Amino acid sequence: MEWISKSKILIVGLGLIGGSYARALKRLGYSVTALSRRQETIDYALREGIIDAGSAAVDEALVGEADAVIFALYPGVFKDWIRENQSLLKPGAMLTDVTGVKSCIVYDIQEMLRSDVEFIAAHPMAGREVYGVENSDERIFRDANFIVTPTARNTDKAIDWCRSLGKLLGFRKVSVLSPEEHDEMISFVSQLTHCIAVALMTCSDNQHLVDYTGDSFRDLTRIARINDVMWSELFLLNKEPLLRQMDIFLKEFSELRDLLAAEDREGLCGKMRLSTERRAYFDR
Amino acid sequence: MEWISKSKILIVGLGLIGGSYARALKRLGYSVTALSRRQETIDYALREGIIDAGSAAVDEALVGEADAVIFALYPGVFKDWIRENQSLLKPGAMLTDVTGVKSCIVYDIQEMLRSDVEFIAAHPMAGREVYGVENSDERIFRDANFIVTPTARNTDKAIDWCRSLGKLLGFRKVSVLSPEEHDEMISFVSQLTHCIAVALMTCSDNQHLVDYTGDSFRDLTRIARINDVMWSELFLLNKEPLLRQMDIFLKEFSELRDLLAAEDREGLCGKMRLSTERRAYFDR
C-alpha cells in the first residue's frame, strides 16, 4: 500500500464519522487535513491533534494538495460541494464518502465529476447515538462493517484503494455491493429498525412506565434517539426500498395481530418457531 | 422478618425462574424444597445443592410442611395444580407465583382456594433467552423489577410478606400494582416488544444479511428467540390489552410510513423529535 503511505488525506465534514476517520488515519501516520463549517470544530481537532491543518472555509491549498478526499457530509451538502468546488481538486485525486444511502448519490456525483479524478463510494456501517467531533472515536469501527459500492465507471484500482481504506480504519469486515444491493440491505437492517424504534416510542407518553421497563424495551428503543435532520434525509433518499420493507413488516405484524385476535394458538406458535429458528443465524 | 426466617419454602416448577428463586433463598439460609415434573431436574438441583429435598411426584409431606409455596408454572398448569392438590396445603400457608399475566389467573385462583391459606400474586420481571434449572441464576434479579399484584381479598400481612420476598430475592425495585394495571403495563413494555421482534424476524429469510447486521438489528431481534408454548399462552391470556397496544403501534407505524410515502420531511422530523424526547426519560 505504498500509494497510501505517501497520501495527503483531506476530510470534508468533521463530525462523529469524519472525526473518527481522522483519528484513525492520523494514528497510522498519514497527513490529515480537514474542512468543516464551524471554526470551533477545526480548533478542537487541531488542539486534540486529530488533524494537521484545517479550515472553516473552502481552502484552495488544502483541497489542491490532497491525494485523497473523504466526504463525511449530508447527501445534499455533498452534491453541492462537488458542484461548487470540484475545480479545486488535484488531478488524479481519489474521492470517497461515508453516506448511508448510495443509488441516489453515487451516480449523480460520478456524472457531474471531472474525468481526471475518481469517486469510489463507501458506507462505514458504524455510529453512536451522539454527534460531533468531540464524540469521535475510531473504536466504533472495530466491530463494524465497511461496504464499498462501486459502479461500472469505477476502476479496479479505486475499488482496491477503498477496500484497503476500510481495512486500515480497522473495520471487522470489508465487503463490496452494488449501490442497489446496498440500499436494499440498509433499508432492512438499519432504516426499518429505526422506523420501528421511533414508532414504538411515539405510541404514547409512557413516562410513567420507566420504572417497569426491562432490557427488551430499552434494547428496542435505544435507536429511537435519532438525529431527525439526518435520518429523515436518509429515509427520503431511500424511499422506495424502505417503503417496500415497511410494507412487508406491516403485513407480518398485522398477521400476528390477527392470529391473536382469532385466538389461533398454533398459528402464533408457528410464527414464534420461525422467528426463533431465523434469529439463531444471527448469534455470533 | 422473623416469620420468614423460620419458613420452609416449597417451589413448584423448577425451571429458570423457579431454580433462580431456589438458589437465592437457599443461599439466604432457608429450607428450600421443590416439586418438578422431571426426575432429572430434581436430581440436578439436589446434586448442585440448590434444594434440600424434592420430588417428581406431588409429595404429600413436602406440600404439607411448607409455610410458603411459590408456583413457577405455566398459567394453565398452575390452576390445575391448585384444583387437584390444594387439600394437601398446610393451614395458614402463604402462596405466591411468578406468572407473567395476572387478571386472568389471580381472581380464579383466589376464588377456588381454601379459606385457610392465602394467595398473593407477584411477577418477577426477569428472564433469559435460555430455559431450565441448569440455566437458573439469581443474578438475573439484580437489575430487575418485582411487581406484587394484590386484590381486595388480600391481607396487609400477605402484601408485606410478598414485598419482603422480592427484596430478599435481590430485585432492584419492588412495586405494587393492581392485576389490571400490571397487565396493561406488561402488554406494552414486554408483550408488544416481543411481537415486534418476532414480526421483524419473520419478514423474510434474511440469512444472507447476517454479515451486514449491526447492533441495532441484533438489539431489536434478541428477544425473537422465544419459547413459543409459553409466550403464545401469555399472549392469549392477555389478549385484550395486547391487541389494544398492537393496534396503537400499527397506527403509529402506518403514520410514519404514510409520511415517508408523501415525502413529508417536516412530519418525519416531528416524529423523530418526539421519539428522541421521550426516549430520554428511559436513560438511566
Side-chain angles (χ1 to χ4, degrees):
Chain A
M1 281 183 276
E2 198 203 354
W3 56 267
I4 207 171
S5 68
K6 297 173 183 167
S7 297
K8 289 191 173 187
I9 301 173
L10 171 67
I11 295 171
V12 183
L14 208 58
L16 177 76
I17 299 295
S20 302
Y21 270 60
R23 284 180 195 272
L25 295 167
K26 189 75 166 58
R27 196 187 305 266
L28 290 163
Y30 296 99
S31 157
V32 178
T33 58
L35 302 181
S36 209
R37 225 174 359 150
R38 295 168 60 246
Q39 185 61 43
E40 306 92 277
T41 304
I42 298 297
D43 292 344
Y44 176 88
L46 285 168
R47 204 164 57 236
E48 294 284 311
I50 301 172
I51 58 173
D52 297 300
S55 168
V58 177
D59 183 294
E60 294 196 17
L62 287 183
V63 178
E65 70 189 17
D67 302 297
V69 187
I70 295 161
F71 292 90
L73 300 170
Y74 283 18
V77 180
F78 178 24
K79 283 191 197 179
D80 291 344
W81 197 100
I82 293 293
R83 203 174 286 116
E84 292 160 23
N85 303 300
Q86 62 166 314
S87 62
L88 306 176
L89 292 165
K90 182 177 182 174
M94 194 71 85
L95 318 185
T96 188
D97 72 337
V98 306
T99 319
V101 286
K102 289 303 177 201
S103 318
C104 62
I105 191 149
V106 178
Y107 300 103
D108 287 356
I109 297 281
Q110 289 187 339
E111 182 65 34
M112 71 170 87
L113 202 63
R114 280 163 45 188
S115 59
D116 63 339
V117 297
E118 181 164 354
F119 172 55
I120 173 74
H123 180 195
M125 290 179 66
R128 299 179 67 187
E129 279 76 49
V130 287
Y131 307 99
V133 68
E134 298 80 3
N135 289 304
S136 63
D137 183 347
E138 61 183 283
R139 288 173 297 184
I140 62 175
F141 302 149
R142 278 192 204 160
D143 201 34
N145 290 305
F146 186 87
I147 322 279
V148 183
T149 58
T151 71
R153 288 188 186 224
N154 282 114
T155 60
D156 287 346
K157 181 186 159 214
I159 299 170
D160 287 346
W161 173 84
C162 203
R163 293 175 62 109
S164 302
L165 177 65
K167 283 175 197 154
L168 279 171
L169 291 168
F171 280 84
R172 182 174 63 87
K173 189 159 190 294
V174 175
S175 312
V176 175
L177 291 177
S178 72
E180 292 74 19
E181 287 168 334
H182 169 275
D183 289 348
E184 197 68 42
M185 177 274 288
I186 211 73
S187 70
F188 180 74
V189 306
S190 170
Q191 296 188 326
L192 175 62
T193 53
H194 281 78
C195 288
I196 288 171
V198 167
L200 178 56
M201 209 65 235
T202 58
C203 269
S204 56
D205 191 354
N206 298 297
Q207 198 175 352
H208 65 289
L209 294 179
V210 168
D211 283 342
Y212 305 109
T213 53
D215 288 345
S216 56
F217 184 82
R218 287 174 195 275
D219 280 356
L220 259 80
T221 56
R222 183 177 56 82
I223 54 175
R225 287 188 74 164
I226 192 168
N227 178 331
D228 58 301
V229 177
M230 182 175 84
W231 281 91
S232 60
E233 180 160 350
L234 293 175
F235 284 5
L236 289 167
L237 288 171
N238 207 30
K239 183 182 138 186
E240 293 308 329
L242 179 52
L243 277 180
R244 272 197 299 279
Q245 299 296 342
M246 290 182 90
D247 287 339
I248 293 171
F249 176 76
L250 269 175
K251 181 171 160 292
E252 274 302 313
F253 190 85
S254 300
E255 276 182 32
L256 202 61
R257 183 227 173 267
D258 295 344
L259 288 170
L260 176 61
E263 300 186 11
D264 182 344
R265 185 183 299 260
E266 195 35 53
L268 287 172
C269 282
K271 290 285 190 192
M272 291 178 188
R273 282 194 300 269
L274 182 61
S275 84
T276 299
E277 185 187 306
R278 287 193 177 154
R279 183 59 177 76
Y281 301 148
F282 291 81
D283 281 325
R284 15 179 194 199
Chain B
M1 281 184 277
E2 197 202 356
W3 56 266
I4 208 170
S5 68
K6 297 173 182 167
S7 296
K8 290 192 171 185
I9 300 174
L10 171 67
I11 295 172
V12 183
L14 209 58
L16 177 76
I17 299 296
S20 302
Y21 269 61
R23 283 180 195 273
L25 294 167
K26 189 76 165 58
R27 197 188 304 265
L28 290 163
Y30 295 99
S31 157
V32 179
T33 59
L35 301 181
S36 208
R37 225 174 0 152
R38 293 168 62 246
Q39 186 61 44
E40 306 93 274
T41 303
I42 298 296
D43 293 344
Y44 176 88
L46 285 168
R47 205 164 56 235
E48 295 283 312
I50 301 171
I51 58 174
D52 297 301
S55 168
V58 177
D59 183 293
E60 295 196 15
L62 288 183
V63 178
E65 70 187 17
D67 302 296
V69 187
I70 295 161
F71 292 91
L73 300 171
Y74 283 18
V77 180
F78 178 23
K79 284 191 196 178
D80 291 344
W81 196 99
I82 292 292
R83 203 174 286 116
E84 291 161 23
N85 303 300
Q86 63 166 315
S87 62
L88 306 176
L89 292 165
K90 182 177 182 174
M94 195 69 86
L95 319 185
T96 188
D97 72 336
V98 306
T99 318
V101 286
K102 290 303 177 201
S103 318
C104 63
I105 191 147
V106 177
Y107 300 102
D108 288 354
I109 296 281
Q110 289 187 339
E111 181 65 34
M112 71 169 89
L113 202 63
R114 280 163 44 188
S115 58
D116 63 340
V117 296
E118 181 165 355
F119 172 56
I120 173 73
H123 180 195
M125 290 181 65
R128 299 180 66 188
E129 279 76 50
V130 288
Y131 306 100
V133 68
E134 297 80 4
N135 290 304
S136 63
D137 184 347
E138 61 184 282
R139 288 173 298 182
I140 62 176
F141 302 148
R142 278 191 205 160
D143 201 35
N145 290 305
F146 186 86
I147 322 280
V148 182
T149 59
T151 70
R153 289 190 186 223
N154 282 115
T155 60
D156 287 346
K157 181 187 159 213
I159 299 170
D160 287 345
W161 174 84
C162 203
R163 294 174 63 108
S164 302
L165 178 65
K167 284 174 197 155
L168 278 172
L169 291 167
F171 280 84
R172 181 173 64 87
K173 188 160 191 294
V174 175
S175 313
V176 175
L177 290 177
S178 73
E180 293 73 19
E181 287 168 334
H182 168 276
D183 290 348
E184 196 68 41
M185 176 275 287
I186 211 72
S187 70
F188 180 73
V189 306
S190 170
Q191 297 188 326
L192 175 61
T193 53
H194 281 78
C195 288
I196 289 171
V198 167
L200 178 56
M201 209 65 236
T202 58
C203 270
S204 56
D205 191 354
N206 298 299
Q207 199 175 350
H208 66 288
L209 294 179
V210 169
D211 284 343
Y212 306 110
T213 53
D215 288 344
S216 56
F217 185 82
R218 287 175 196 275
D219 279 357
L220 260 79
T221 57
R222 181 177 58 81
I223 55 175
R225 287 188 73 165
I226 192 168
N227 179 331
D228 57 303
V229 177
M230 182 175 85
W231 281 91
S232 60
E233 181 160 350
L234 293 175
F235 284 6
L236 290 166
L237 288 171
N238 207 30
K239 183 181 137 184
E240 294 309 328
L242 179 53
L243 277 181
R244 272 197 298 280
Q245 298 296 342
M246 290 182 89
D247 287 339
I248 293 170
F249 176 77
L250 269 175
K251 181 171 160 292
E252 274 302 312
F253 190 85
S254 300
E255 276 182 32
L256 201 61
R257 182 226 173 269
D258 294 344
L259 288 169
L260 176 62
E263 300 185 11
D264 182 345
R265 185 183 300 258
E266 197 33 54
L268 286 171
C269 282
K271 291 284 189 191
M272 291 178 189
R273 281 194 300 269
L274 182 61
S275 83
T276 299
E277 185 187 306
R278 288 195 176 154
R279 183 58 177 77
Y281 300 148
F282 291 82
D283 282 324
R284 12 179 197 202

mmCIF file of all heavy atoms in Angstrom, chain A residues 121-154:
data_model
loop_
_atom_site.group_PDB
_atom_site.id
_atom_site.type_symbol
_atom_site.label_atom_id
_atom_site.label_comp_id
_atom_site.label_asym_id
_atom_site.label_seq_id
_atom_site.Cartn_x
_atom_site.Cartn_y
_atom_site.Cartn_z
ATOM 1 N N ALA A 121 -17.520 5.113 -3.924
ATOM 2 C CA ALA A 121 -18.385 5.304 -2.760
ATOM 3 C C ALA A 121 -18.203 4.200 -1.727
ATOM 4 O O ALA A 121 -17.873 3.059 -2.067
ATOM 5 C CB ALA A 121 -19.844 5.347 -3.209
ATOM 6 N N ALA A 122 -18.446 4.542 -0.470
ATOM 7 C CA ALA A 122 -18.362 3.554 0.603
ATOM 8 C C ALA A 122 -19.302 3.937 1.738
ATOM 9 O O ALA A 122 -19.651 5.111 1.902
ATOM 10 C CB ALA A 122 -16.928 3.458 1.140
ATOM 11 N N HIS A 123 -19.712 2.942 2.494
ATOM 12 C CA HIS A 123 -20.550 3.193 3.674
ATOM 13 C C HIS A 123 -19.952 2.481 4.888
ATOM 14 O O HIS A 123 -20.010 1.261 4.987
ATOM 15 C CB HIS A 123 -21.988 2.687 3.423
ATOM 16 C CG HIS A 123 -22.897 2.902 4.598
ATOM 17 N ND1 HIS A 123 -24.114 2.282 4.712
ATOM 18 C CD2 HIS A 123 -22.773 3.689 5.702
ATOM 19 C CE1 HIS A 123 -24.694 2.660 5.854
ATOM 20 N NE2 HIS A 123 -23.907 3.503 6.459
ATOM 21 N N PRO A 124 -19.367 3.261 5.797
ATOM 22 C CA PRO A 124 -18.895 2.665 7.050
ATOM 23 C C PRO A 124 -20.106 2.483 7.968
ATOM 24 O O PRO A 124 -20.688 3.465 8.415
ATOM 25 C CB PRO A 124 -17.939 3.729 7.594
ATOM 26 C CG PRO A 124 -18.445 5.024 7.028
ATOM 27 C CD PRO A 124 -19.125 4.701 5.722
ATOM 28 N N MET A 125 -20.501 1.231 8.212
ATOM 29 C CA MET A 125 -21.732 0.989 8.997
ATOM 30 C C MET A 125 -21.443 1.073 10.498
ATOM 31 O O MET A 125 -21.530 0.083 11.220
ATOM 32 C CB MET A 125 -22.340 -0.363 8.650
ATOM 33 C CG MET A 125 -22.940 -0.399 7.260
ATOM 34 S SD MET A 125 -23.629 -2.037 6.871
ATOM 35 C CE MET A 125 -24.999 -2.141 8.038
ATOM 36 N N ALA A 126 -21.095 2.275 10.931
ATOM 37 C CA ALA A 126 -20.760 2.484 12.338
ATOM 38 C C ALA A 126 -21.400 3.780 12.784
ATOM 39 O O ALA A 126 -21.663 4.668 11.976
ATOM 40 C CB ALA A 126 -19.247 2.558 12.522
ATOM 41 N N GLY A 127 -21.660 3.904 14.050
ATOM 42 C CA GLY A 127 -22.251 5.137 14.545
ATOM 43 C C GLY A 127 -22.455 5.073 16.038
ATOM 44 O O GLY A 127 -22.161 4.075 16.690
ATOM 45 N N ARG A 128 -22.899 6.175 16.586
ATOM 46 C CA ARG A 128 -23.238 6.247 18.000
ATOM 47 C C ARG A 128 -24.502 7.087 18.104
ATOM 48 O O ARG A 128 -24.949 7.665 17.116
ATOM 49 C CB ARG A 128 -22.113 6.933 18.797
ATOM 50 C CG ARG A 128 -20.781 6.227 18.738
ATOM 51 C CD ARG A 128 -19.709 6.982 19.546
ATOM 52 N NE ARG A 128 -20.017 6.950 20.964
ATOM 53 C CZ ARG A 128 -19.334 7.645 21.894
ATOM 54 N NH1 ARG A 128 -18.338 8.420 21.529
ATOM 55 N NH2 ARG A 128 -19.665 7.562 23.162
ATOM 56 N N GLU A 129 -25.087 7.160 19.328
ATOM 57 C CA GLU A 129 -26.282 7.991 19.494
ATOM 58 C C GLU A 129 -25.892 9.424 19.860
ATOM 59 O O GLU A 129 -26.729 10.206 20.277
ATOM 60 C CB GLU A 129 -27.198 7.411 20.573
ATOM 61 C CG GLU A 129 -28.081 6.268 20.080
ATOM 62 C CD GLU A 129 -27.304 4.981 19.922
ATOM 63 O OE1 GLU A 129 -26.593 4.604 20.853
ATOM 64 O OE2 GLU A 129 -27.379 4.383 18.833
ATOM 65 N N VAL A 130 -24.609 9.751 19.711
ATOM 66 C CA VAL A 130 -24.154 11.107 19.982
ATOM 67 C C VAL A 130 -23.442 11.630 18.748
ATOM 68 O O VAL A 130 -23.133 10.868 17.834
ATOM 69 C CB VAL A 130 -23.202 11.139 21.208
ATOM 70 C CG1 VAL A 130 -23.974 10.928 22.497
ATOM 71 C CG2 VAL A 130 -22.109 10.095 21.060
ATOM 72 N N TYR A 131 -23.195 12.923 18.704
ATOM 73 C CA TYR A 131 -22.712 13.551 17.487
ATOM 74 C C TYR A 131 -21.490 14.408 17.726
ATOM 75 O O TYR A 131 -21.153 14.729 18.857
ATOM 76 C CB TYR A 131 -23.843 14.402 16.880
ATOM 77 C CG TYR A 131 -25.089 13.581 16.719
ATOM 78 C CD1 TYR A 131 -26.120 13.643 17.644
ATOM 79 C CD2 TYR A 131 -25.174 12.653 15.684
ATOM 80 C CE1 TYR A 131 -27.229 12.826 17.526
ATOM 81 C CE2 TYR A 131 -26.274 11.827 15.554
ATOM 82 C CZ TYR A 131 -27.306 11.919 16.478
ATOM 83 O OH TYR A 131 -28.383 11.102 16.370
ATOM 84 N N GLY A 132 -20.851 14.795 16.615
ATOM 85 C CA GLY A 132 -19.799 15.783 16.688
ATOM 86 C C GLY A 132 -18.411 15.194 16.877
ATOM 87 O O GLY A 132 -18.240 14.082 17.376
ATOM 88 N N VAL A 133 -17.415 15.971 16.458
ATOM 89 C CA VAL A 133 -16.020 15.543 16.528
ATOM 90 C C VAL A 133 -15.617 15.233 17.971
ATOM 91 O O VAL A 133 -14.775 14.377 18.225
ATOM 92 C CB VAL A 133 -15.086 16.613 15.901
ATOM 93 C CG1 VAL A 133 -15.051 17.882 16.759
ATOM 94 C CG2 VAL A 133 -13.672 16.071 15.694
ATOM 95 N N GLU A 134 -16.259 15.902 18.923
ATOM 96 C CA GLU A 134 -15.930 15.697 20.338
ATOM 97 C C GLU A 134 -16.221 14.258 20.766
ATOM 98 O O GLU A 134 -15.635 13.756 21.716
ATOM 99 C CB GLU A 134 -16.717 16.662 21.234
ATOM 100 C CG GLU A 134 -16.432 18.142 21.000
ATOM 101 C CD GLU A 134 -17.173 18.706 19.794
ATOM 102 O OE1 GLU A 134 -17.962 17.958 19.160
ATOM 103 O OE2 GLU A 134 -16.949 19.886 19.468
ATOM 104 N N ASN A 135 -17.162 13.618 20.098
ATOM 105 C CA ASN A 135 -17.506 12.236 20.427
ATOM 106 C C ASN A 135 -16.869 11.223 19.472
ATOM 107 O O ASN A 135 -17.167 10.032 19.549
ATOM 108 C CB ASN A 135 -19.027 12.059 20.406
ATOM 109 C CG ASN A 135 -19.685 12.765 21.576
ATOM 110 O OD1 ASN A 135 -19.339 12.501 22.724
ATOM 111 N ND2 ASN A 135 -20.603 13.669 21.289
ATOM 112 N N SER A 136 -16.043 11.696 18.544
ATOM 113 C CA SER A 136 -15.456 10.773 17.570
ATOM 114 C C SER A 136 -14.519 9.795 18.283
ATOM 115 O O SER A 136 -13.918 10.124 19.304
ATOM 116 C CB SER A 136 -14.697 11.562 16.494
ATOM 117 O OG SER A 136 -13.611 12.262 17.069
ATOM 118 N N ASP A 137 -14.452 8.591 17.732
ATOM 119 C CA ASP A 137 -13.721 7.512 18.403
ATOM 120 C C ASP A 137 -13.518 6.392 17.391
ATOM 121 O O ASP A 137 -14.482 5.779 16.940
ATOM 122 C CB ASP A 137 -14.557 7.021 19.592
ATOM 123 C CG ASP A 137 -13.848 5.954 20.409
ATOM 124 O OD1 ASP A 137 -12.830 5.409 19.951
ATOM 125 O OD2 ASP A 137 -14.344 5.665 21.516
ATOM 126 N N GLU A 138 -12.279 6.108 17.035
ATOM 127 C CA GLU A 138 -12.057 5.102 15.987
ATOM 128 C C GLU A 138 -12.461 3.698 16.436
ATOM 129 O O GLU A 138 -12.602 2.806 15.606
ATOM 130 C CB GLU A 138 -10.599 5.125 15.519
ATOM 131 C CG GLU A 138 -9.627 4.814 16.638
ATOM 132 C CD GLU A 138 -8.176 4.924 16.176
ATOM 133 O OE1 GLU A 138 -7.691 4.025 15.499
ATOM 134 O OE2 GLU A 138 -7.573 5.950 16.494
ATOM 135 N N ARG A 139 -12.665 3.494 17.738
ATOM 136 C CA ARG A 139 -13.066 2.159 18.194
ATOM 137 C C ARG A 139 -14.452 1.749 17.695
ATOM 138 O O ARG A 139 -14.796 0.576 17.709
ATOM 139 C CB ARG A 139 -13.020 2.097 19.730
ATOM 140 C CG ARG A 139 -11.597 2.089 20.276
ATOM 141 C CD ARG A 139 -11.604 2.194 21.780
ATOM 142 N NE ARG A 139 -12.195 3.463 22.212
ATOM 143 C CZ ARG A 139 -12.266 3.857 23.484
ATOM 144 N NH1 ARG A 139 -11.820 3.076 24.447
ATOM 145 N NH2 ARG A 139 -12.803 5.022 23.811
ATOM 146 N N ILE A 140 -15.253 2.746 17.239
ATOM 147 C CA ILE A 140 -16.589 2.383 16.733
ATOM 148 C C ILE A 140 -16.483 1.547 15.457
ATOM 149 O O ILE A 140 -17.450 0.913 15.059
ATOM 150 C CB ILE A 140 -17.500 3.620 16.472
ATOM 151 C CG1 ILE A 140 -16.915 4.545 15.408
ATOM 152 C CG2 ILE A 140 -17.747 4.378 17.766
ATOM 153 C CD1 ILE A 140 -17.835 5.717 15.039
ATOM 154 N N PHE A 141 -15.309 1.518 14.816
ATOM 155 C CA PHE A 141 -15.146 0.744 13.578
ATOM 156 C C PHE A 141 -14.844 -0.736 13.842
ATOM 157 O O PHE A 141 -15.042 -1.572 12.976
ATOM 158 C CB PHE A 141 -13.994 1.320 12.740
ATOM 159 C CG PHE A 141 -14.163 2.770 12.369
ATOM 160 C CD1 PHE A 141 -13.057 3.599 12.213
ATOM 161 C CD2 PHE A 141 -15.431 3.313 12.167
ATOM 162 C CE1 PHE A 141 -13.199 4.940 11.859
ATOM 163 C CE2 PHE A 141 -15.589 4.661 11.808
ATOM 164 C CZ PHE A 141 -14.467 5.464 11.661
ATOM 165 N N ARG A 142 -14.359 -1.031 15.031
ATOM 166 C CA ARG A 142 -13.799 -2.358 15.310
ATOM 167 C C ARG A 142 -14.745 -3.508 15.058
ATOM 168 O O ARG A 142 -14.359 -4.547 14.560
ATOM 169 C CB ARG A 142 -13.363 -2.427 16.776
ATOM 170 C CG ARG A 142 -12.014 -1.820 16.989
ATOM 171 C CD ARG A 142 -11.514 -2.172 18.382
ATOM 172 N NE ARG A 142 -10.546 -1.171 18.802
ATOM 173 C CZ ARG A 142 -10.207 -0.946 20.071
ATOM 174 N NH1 ARG A 142 -10.770 -1.658 21.032
ATOM 175 N NH2 ARG A 142 -9.326 -0.027 20.367
ATOM 176 N N ASP A 143 -15.993 -3.330 15.453
ATOM 177 C CA ASP A 143 -16.924 -4.441 15.332
ATOM 178 C C ASP A 143 -17.897 -4.200 14.179
ATOM 179 O O ASP A 143 -18.952 -4.818 14.118
ATOM 180 C CB ASP A 143 -17.689 -4.594 16.650
ATOM 181 C CG ASP A 143 -18.274 -5.989 16.791
ATOM 182 O OD1 ASP A 143 -17.630 -6.936 16.303
ATOM 183 O OD2 ASP A 143 -19.379 -6.113 17.348
ATOM 184 N N ALA A 144 -17.515 -3.331 13.254
ATOM 185 C CA ALA A 144 -18.477 -2.861 12.245
ATOM 186 C C ALA A 144 -18.084 -3.294 10.831
ATOM 187 O O ALA A 144 -16.983 -3.768 10.584
ATOM 188 C CB ALA A 144 -18.572 -1.346 12.324
ATOM 189 N N ASN A 145 -19.043 -3.120 9.913
ATOM 190 C CA ASN A 145 -18.855 -3.472 8.503
ATOM 191 C C ASN A 145 -18.586 -2.234 7.661
ATOM 192 O O ASN A 145 -19.176 -1.186 7.879
ATOM 193 C CB ASN A 145 -20.119 -4.144 7.965
ATOM 194 C CG ASN A 145 -20.324 -5.519 8.553
ATOM 195 O OD1 ASN A 145 -19.460 -6.369 8.473
ATOM 196 N ND2 ASN A 145 -21.478 -5.726 9.177
ATOM 197 N N PHE A 146 -17.723 -2.416 6.658
ATOM 198 C CA PHE A 146 -17.403 -1.345 5.714
ATOM 199 C C PHE A 146 -17.814 -1.845 4.329
ATOM 200 O O PHE A 146 -17.338 -2.883 3.879
ATOM 201 C CB PHE A 146 -15.891 -1.082 5.774
ATOM 202 C CG PHE A 146 -15.410 0.095 4.966
ATOM 203 C CD1 PHE A 146 -15.400 1.379 5.504
ATOM 204 C CD2 PHE A 146 -14.942 -0.086 3.669
ATOM 205 C CE1 PHE A 146 -14.917 2.455 4.772
ATOM 206 C CE2 PHE A 146 -14.463 0.989 2.925
ATOM 207 C CZ PHE A 146 -14.446 2.272 3.485
ATOM 208 N N ILE A 147 -18.730 -1.115 3.689
ATOM 209 C CA ILE A 147 -19.247 -1.576 2.391
ATOM 210 C C ILE A 147 -18.763 -0.645 1.286
ATOM 211 O O ILE A 147 -19.042 0.562 1.331
ATOM 212 C CB ILE A 147 -20.790 -1.592 2.360
ATOM 213 C CG1 ILE A 147 -21.382 -2.054 3.689
ATOM 214 C CG2 ILE A 147 -21.281 -2.413 1.178
ATOM 215 C CD1 ILE A 147 -21.412 -3.513 3.910
ATOM 216 N N VAL A 148 -18.059 -1.195 0.298
ATOM 217 C CA VAL A 148 -17.639 -0.438 -0.882
ATOM 218 C C VAL A 148 -18.710 -0.665 -1.947
ATOM 219 O O VAL A 148 -19.145 -1.796 -2.170
ATOM 220 C CB VAL A 148 -16.271 -0.940 -1.393
ATOM 221 C CG1 VAL A 148 -15.807 -0.107 -2.586
ATOM 222 C CG2 VAL A 148 -15.241 -0.898 -0.271
ATOM 223 N N THR A 149 -19.185 0.445 -2.575
ATOM 224 C CA THR A 149 -20.284 0.299 -3.545
ATOM 225 C C THR A 149 -19.896 0.873 -4.912
ATOM 226 O O THR A 149 -20.340 1.956 -5.299
ATOM 227 C CB THR A 149 -21.557 1.006 -3.031
ATOM 228 O OG1 THR A 149 -21.259 2.389 -2.806
ATOM 229 C CG2 THR A 149 -22.049 0.387 -1.735
ATOM 230 N N PRO A 150 -19.097 0.128 -5.675
ATOM 231 C CA PRO A 150 -18.647 0.623 -6.976
ATOM 232 C C PRO A 150 -19.745 0.570 -8.044
ATOM 233 O O PRO A 150 -20.716 -0.168 -7.897
ATOM 234 C CB PRO A 150 -17.518 -0.339 -7.339
ATOM 235 C CG PRO A 150 -17.832 -1.603 -6.599
ATOM 236 C CD PRO A 150 -18.579 -1.202 -5.357
ATOM 237 N N THR A 151 -19.560 1.357 -9.090
ATOM 238 C CA THR A 151 -20.420 1.275 -10.278
ATOM 239 C C THR A 151 -19.538 0.821 -11.436
ATOM 240 O O THR A 151 -18.320 0.642 -11.284
ATOM 241 C CB THR A 151 -21.012 2.648 -10.647
ATOM 242 O OG1 THR A 151 -19.943 3.472 -11.159
ATOM 243 C CG2 THR A 151 -21.639 3.316 -9.437
ATOM 244 N N ALA A 152 -20.142 0.683 -12.628
ATOM 245 C CA ALA A 152 -19.384 0.266 -13.818
ATOM 246 C C ALA A 152 -18.306 1.288 -14.185
ATOM 247 O O ALA A 152 -17.344 0.972 -14.877
ATOM 248 C CB ALA A 152 -20.344 0.065 -14.989
ATOM 249 N N ARG A 153 -18.456 2.515 -13.712
ATOM 250 C CA ARG A 153 -17.461 3.542 -14.039
ATOM 251 C C ARG A 153 -16.185 3.422 -13.218
ATOM 252 O O ARG A 153 -15.190 4.074 -13.527
ATOM 253 C CB ARG A 153 -18.040 4.932 -13.735
ATOM 254 C CG ARG A 153 -19.106 5.398 -14.697
ATOM 255 C CD ARG A 153 -19.423 6.858 -14.366
ATOM 256 N NE ARG A 153 -20.537 7.336 -15.152
ATOM 257 C CZ ARG A 153 -20.550 8.531 -15.751
ATOM 258 N NH1 ARG A 153 -19.521 9.347 -15.649
ATOM 259 N NH2 ARG A 153 -21.597 8.910 -16.448
ATOM 260 N N ASN A 154 -16.221 2.670 -12.128
ATOM 261 C CA ASN A 154 -15.049 2.623 -11.248
ATOM 262 C C ASN A 154 -13.953 1.682 -11.744
ATOM 263 O O ASN A 154 -14.233 0.632 -12.316
ATOM 264 C CB ASN A 154 -15.469 2.223 -9.826
ATOM 265 C CG ASN A 154 -16.083 3.375 -9.059
ATOM 266 O OD1 ASN A 154 -17.271 3.340 -8.732
ATOM 267 N ND2 ASN A 154 -15.308 4.406 -8.803
#
